Amino acid sequence: MQNALYQYIELYNANRPVVEARSSEPLNRLRTAALEALETAGRLPAKGDEGFEKTSINDMFAPDFGVNISGVNIPADIASSFRCGVPNLSTLMGVVVNDRFTPTSTLLKNLPAGVTMCSLSEAAGKHPGIVGKWYGSVANLDSPGTALNTLLAQEGVFIHVARGIRLEKALQLVSILSAPSPLAAFRRILLVAEEGAQVSVLKCDHTQEGSKQCLSSEVVEIVALNGSKVEWYDIEESNADTSRYCQVYVAQHEGAQVNLCGSTLTNGTTRNEYSLDINGDNTLSHLSGMAIGSGSQHIDNSSDLRHKASRGHSNQVFKYVLDDNATGAFEGSIEVCHGARFVEAYQSNRNILASSNARMHTKPQLLIYNDDVKCSHGATTGQLDSKALFYMQTRGIPLQQARRMLMQAFMADVINTIELEPLRDRLRHMIERRFDGCQSGCRECK
Amino acid sequence: MSDEILLKVTDLRAKVEDKEILKGINLTVRPGEVHAIMGPNGSGKSTLSSVLAGNPAFTVTGGSAEFHGIDLLALSPEDRSHEGLFLSFQYPVEIPGVSMVNFMRAAVNAKREYFNQPQLSAGDFLKLMRQKRAIVELDNKLASRSVNEGFSGGEKKRNEIFQMAVLEPRLSILDETDSGLDIDALRVVAGGVNQLKTSQNATIVITHYQRLLDYIKPDFVHVLYKGRIVRTGGPELALELEEKGYDWLKD
């Protein structure tokens, strides 16, 4: 096995001043620790490592990708391809091309007082205290993927909602990989919801048409302070040449609510990791995900939820429909720590294999170090209900349509976790089109 | 009644896995007729309805079924439906996540597409639903629910007859429509079936008990036993079965 890590470490060692020059102090400050963590780890996780049964991070990073450390402007055809409007959902939008954040003109005009969405560099200048306090505070450098991202991330997105501000409109990030030559983008997002603040974010991941092989390494840190509420919706519609390694870290404080939902509609190889630390009492956490795989798509979701405080309620639902030669993996663990009393934690993973070559690996785990908890987990993998299919056929619904309707219905409880109704409608429509065989539902947003 | 033949089943044989269940069924149904098929458990009643509707779990091993001149067995289940065959299930299937409205719209429009008719407009569709619901006194609230999910036994059976009313079949097969129904629900369901009866369509009622036949009057009663129709008579045969049981026919 080729060790993919060293090409990146060498790149960093040879170009440290360039890397730092296009970045900012809070990011630069963590690079030494990240480098040490990587040298200790020695390699990126490979297939078969614990927690990485079906996905090799090493292989995802192994190709000879370029990293645009000097920030050469790479164009992306945003206006024509990725307007990404959700009908009836008015959002405040920003665009990320590779790692570079660009606000739309309406965003700058319409961001209400107390709400910030800007590049991390800009934030480091304007809100050095907040960025300095929280950047890297939730992400875990023990994860080689996160350490590598911390080593090379130069730019990113900063979202901040001040105390007590409830943002009515959703924030939207249209995230595009544009790779005229093979490219790895190191992306970073820091979201801080101060006490009592509320915010919902929709992130749409795309790959620019005509791009070469590309990789997105992304670390998202979400800090939900006391009594705040954060909704985080992530939809991936990339292509077969795209690899995505997205690590979402959440710190949830007392009385905070988070709702995270990730959807993979089209992709190449994807690994999403969700790590939730529930640090305060009386919290509510929803974590859900769906994956629709065909061709040779590979989708791996992993969740790691730690209840460290009492009276937390968490609910996880992950659903996959896999066709052709698609492969899926889900590993989820719930840990109820010592002293975390009256916790309710549920996890379910249900999968449909629509072809005989599709494969699903699932591993739900529950670690309970406490009494007074209610927990459950379950996983099923099967086919579409043949009785339901026949029933629908006898009513005249053609078999193919009946299959599509059942697959869509299967995803209903994931869609229903989304609190933005227009987005639910949009996603239903996109899923319908996806099952109809259309590769990109988002293009229709235009 | 007419001389026209709606369904002609000739020496129909079918098996599930390796077990032959239908061992040569002969049955002729004309427009305007109501046929009752009775018989003890395991005689093949439900298999007959499944095979006619095209359930892939059963394999036809011989014989034929002609439906108004068309080779029924050559059609997919959906095309059998479009051609006017309807099966009311003994156990209607719950389909979580598919709303009744979407289900019925898909069914109605699939049939229209089959006959090269344009899709029904939203307004016309809702009007149709309203009109047909009244026939079986089906609650409007059920329309927004998932198909059969959480329906009571009575609601499920009403829902079957509602679907039958919408699809206007030429031949309806009611498989144990009375099972799980109390007398009031039975009256509503049977009333719906009777309202939908015309001189052009026909009904096959599959039942264990004579009870349903008090409400849906058959012209012919057939006794199915071990995969064959062993006796055919008028409505009086049902009464005789009620009185004597099936044992006297087993020889």
Side-chain angles (χ1 to χ4, degrees):
Chain A
M1 184 184 73
Q2 180 203 348
N3 189 327
L5 183 58
Y6 282 95
Q7 61 173 331
Y8 296 98
I9 291 183
E10 278 161 24
L11 175 84
Y12 175 74
N13 284 333
N15 298 282
R16 183 169 189 159
V18 185
V19 169
E20 297 197 341
R22 193 172 75 89
S23 191
S24 50
E25 195 276 332
L27 281 66
N28 291 337
R29 192 152 42 101
L30 293 183
R31 295 190 205 281
T32 308
L35 184 61
E36 279 169 14
L38 287 172
E39 280 166 347
T40 307
R43 63 179 179 88
L44 293 167
K47 199 159 159 175
D49 286 2
E50 195 180 352
F52 296 85
E53 308 274 346
K54 299 292 165 190
T55 307
S56 171
I57 303 302
N58 185 74
D59 290 356
M60 287 170 81
F61 283 76
D64 185 17
F65 289 120
V67 181
N68 185 14
I69 47 171
S70 47
V72 173
N73 193 24
I74 299 174
D77 191 0
I78 301 156
S80 72
S81 309
F82 307 107
R83 208 166 295 163
C84 224
V86 177
N88 308 316
L89 179 69
S90 157
T91 61
L92 297 162
M93 193 190 293
V95 179
V96 176
V97 177
N98 299 331
D99 66 347
R100 186 198 296 258
F101 174 82
T102 318
T104 56
S105 53
T106 48
L107 174 74
L108 296 175
K109 257 187 286 177
N110 296 329
L111 268 184
V115 181
T116 311
M117 177 154 86
C118 64
S119 74
L120 269 173
S121 307
E122 187 183 335
K126 288 183 178 165
H127 311 276
I130 301 170
V131 180
K133 181 174 178 186
W134 297 113
Y135 180 84
S137 71
V138 194
N140 185 357
L141 290 182
D142 290 342
S143 153
T146 300
L148 182 55
N149 180 281
T150 305
L151 185 74
L152 290 175
Q154 296 167 279
E155 255 303 348
V157 185
F158 173 71
I159 298 170
H160 179 258
V161 185
R163 186 177 177 155
I165 302 283
R166 297 174 171 202
L167 187 56
E168 301 267 320
K169 279 191 178 182
L171 298 175
Q172 187 176 9
L173 282 171
V174 177
S175 206
I176 300 163
L177 283 171
S178 180
S181 57
L183 178 116
F186 290 86
R187 297 164 151 178
R188 195 85 186 200
I189 296 174
L190 172 63
L191 187 162
V192 180
E194 300 280 356
E195 285 180 22
Q198 287 192 10
V199 61
S200 51
V201 183
L202 165 62
K203 183 165 90 72
C204 311
D205 268 26
H206 301 278
T207 300
Q208 172 81 46
E209 219 165 88
S211 283
K212 297 284 191 291
Q213 192 181 19
C214 50
L215 164 74
S216 163
S217 152
E218 183 163 54
V219 170
V220 180
E221 293 180 278
I222 296 174
V223 182
L225 292 167
N226 292 1
S228 65
K229 182 174 179 190
V230 176
E231 295 166 49
W232 180 261
Y233 307 119
D234 184 341
I235 300 172
E236 180 180 5
E237 278 200 300
S238 65
N239 63 22
D241 287 330
T242 303
S243 294
R244 164 178 144 131
Y245 185 23
C246 180
Q247 298 176 285
V248 180
Y249 292 91
V250 180
Q252 215 178 333
H253 295 261
E254 191 180 333
Q257 297 181 28
V258 297
N259 184 357
L260 296 92
C261 180
S263 309
T264 312
L265 300 183
T266 54
N267 73 321
T269 299
T270 293
R271 161 89 175 187
N272 296 317
E273 291 173 14
Y274 299 92
S275 169
L276 279 75
D277 276 315
I278 297 166
N279 300 321
D281 292 350
N282 296 309
T283 53
L284 182 61
S285 322
H286 284 288
L287 172 57
S288 55
M290 78 167 107
I292 300 173
S294 59
S296 53
Q297 283 174 252
H298 176 77
I299 304 132
D300 182 341
N301 284 297
S302 155
S303 80
D304 193 357
L305 194 144
R306 285 168 301 278
H307 279 279
K308 297 175 170 175
S310 297
R311 293 184 183 79
H313 186 123
S314 68
N315 205 0
Q316 296 181 56
V317 186
F318 281 84
K319 290 194 157 183
Y320 293 62
V321 174
L322 302 173
D323 205 346
D324 302 336
N325 298 306
T327 49
F330 172 77
E331 290 195 30
S333 86
I334 300 171
E335 183 179 348
V336 181
C337 304
H338 282 292
R341 303 180 66 205
F342 311 119
V343 163
E344 280 187 55
Y346 307 102
Q347 182 191 79
S348 134
N349 168 229
R350 292 178 58 204
N351 314 299
I352 287 177
L353 300 181
S355 79
S356 51
N357 286 329
R359 290 286 178 272
M360 182 68 204
H361 164 83
T362 176
K363 188 174 165 191
Q365 287 170 288
L366 207 48
L367 302 160
I368 303 175
Y369 299 100
N370 212 11
D371 293 334
D372 294 328
V373 297
K374 250 198 230 174
C375 293
S376 74
H377 64 163
T380 59
T381 299
Q383 275 89 46
L384 291 172
D385 180 356
S386 60
K387 282 191 185 127
L389 284 174
F390 177 61
Y391 186 70
M392 295 170 87
Q393 282 182 282
T394 64
R395 299 311 183 239
I397 302 172
L399 182 61
Q400 282 310 316
Q401 191 184 350
R403 287 172 60 90
R404 281 200 306 270
M405 287 173 77
L406 288 186
M407 290 195 268
Q408 247 177 289
F410 179 73
M411 292 303 190
D413 47 358
V414 173
I415 294 170
N416 289 338
T417 63
I418 293 171
E419 292 171 65
L420 303 172
E421 198 190 341
L423 181 58
R424 280 202 300 272
D425 290 344
R426 186 71 212 161
L427 204 52
R428 271 190 212 106
H429 176 71
M430 284 161 72
I431 290 168
E432 194 175 330
R433 286 177 47 83
R434 175 66 182 82
F435 282 132
D436 276 343
C438 297
Q439 283 300 300
S440 178
C442 256
R443 297 297 166 85
E444 290 305 300
C445 278
K446 279 186 270 182
Chain B
M1 320 252 168
S2 78
D3 291 337
E4 190 194 333
I5 291 176
L6 188 55
L7 177 72
K8 187 170 177 59
V9 177
T10 312
D11 195 32
L12 183 64
R13 292 162 183 275
K15 63 173 186 176
V16 60
E17 285 158 4
D18 277 333
K19 195 169 152 46
E20 188 170 53
I21 301 189
L22 300 184
K23 298 171 180 168
I25 301 278
N26 291 290
L27 181 67
T28 301
V29 179
R30 294 182 168 81
E33 293 178 348
V34 176
H35 291 245
I37 296 179
M38 303 181 71
N41 278 331
S43 57
K45 301 190 299 293
S46 285
T47 301
L48 176 60
S49 63
S50 290
V51 168
L52 291 177
N55 189 331
F58 298 89
T59 313
V60 174
T61 51
S64 64
E66 215 172 86
F67 187 42
H68 53 79
I70 297 171
D71 177 5
L72 185 69
L73 302 178
L75 299 180
S76 65
E78 52 267 37
D79 287 352
R80 295 181 200 201
S81 165
H82 299 145
E83 288 294 343
L85 184 76
F86 182 85
L87 170 62
S88 166
F89 281 56
Q90 182 177 4
Y91 303 109
V93 182
E94 298 192 6
I95 313 178
V98 176
S99 73
M100 268 310 294
V101 174
N102 281 346
F103 177 71
M104 288 316 295
R105 188 184 290 121
V108 167
N109 283 328
K111 183 173 179 180
R112 294 180 70 89
E113 195 176 323
Y114 184 78
F115 289 109
N116 290 318
Q117 294 167 326
Q119 307 263 295
L120 213 54
S121 75
D124 287 346
F125 173 73
L126 291 175
K127 207 163 104 191
L128 178 71
M129 294 297 104
R130 236 186 345 261
Q131 200 187 348
K132 302 295 185 182
R133 256 197 329 261
I135 294 173
V136 282
E137 302 166 28
L138 192 70
D139 197 321
N140 184 22
K141 275 180 277 183
L142 299 183
S144 59
R145 298 238 303 262
S146 292
V147 178
N148 291 322
E149 194 184 35
F151 286 28
S152 70
E155 283 168 343
K156 282 182 183 169
K157 295 300 169 83
R158 283 186 207 200
N159 193 15
E160 293 294 282
I161 306 306
F162 161 68
Q163 293 170 37
M164 173 178 149
V166 172
L167 296 172
E168 298 179 334
R170 296 174 72 169
L171 175 66
S172 304
I173 305 172
L174 311 181
D175 189 2
E176 306 273 7
T177 287
D178 49 339
S179 69
L181 288 190
D182 58 35
I183 289 293
D184 290 333
L186 183 62
R187 209 172 279 139
V188 173
V189 166
V193 173
N194 288 329
Q195 270 190 62
L196 297 172
K197 195 180 150 188
T198 70
S199 62
Q200 297 305 308
N201 62 25
T203 310
I204 297 174
V205 181
I206 293 175
T207 182
H208 253 74
Y209 303 108
Q210 201 269 336
R211 188 177 73 159
L212 179 64
L213 304 181
D214 288 340
Y215 298 94
I216 303 173
K217 300 277 184 214
D219 302 300
F220 301 94
V221 174
H222 310 275
V223 178
L224 192 62
Y225 181 63
K226 287 193 175 168
R228 286 194 188 87
I229 289 175
V230 294
R231 171 122 3 164
T232 294
E236 71 288 346
L237 179 58
L239 296 169
E240 207 175 339
L241 289 168
E242 185 79 357
E243 194 180 322
K244 296 187 188 169
Y246 290 108
D247 280 349
W248 62 286
L249 287 167
K250 287 184 179 172
D251 306 318

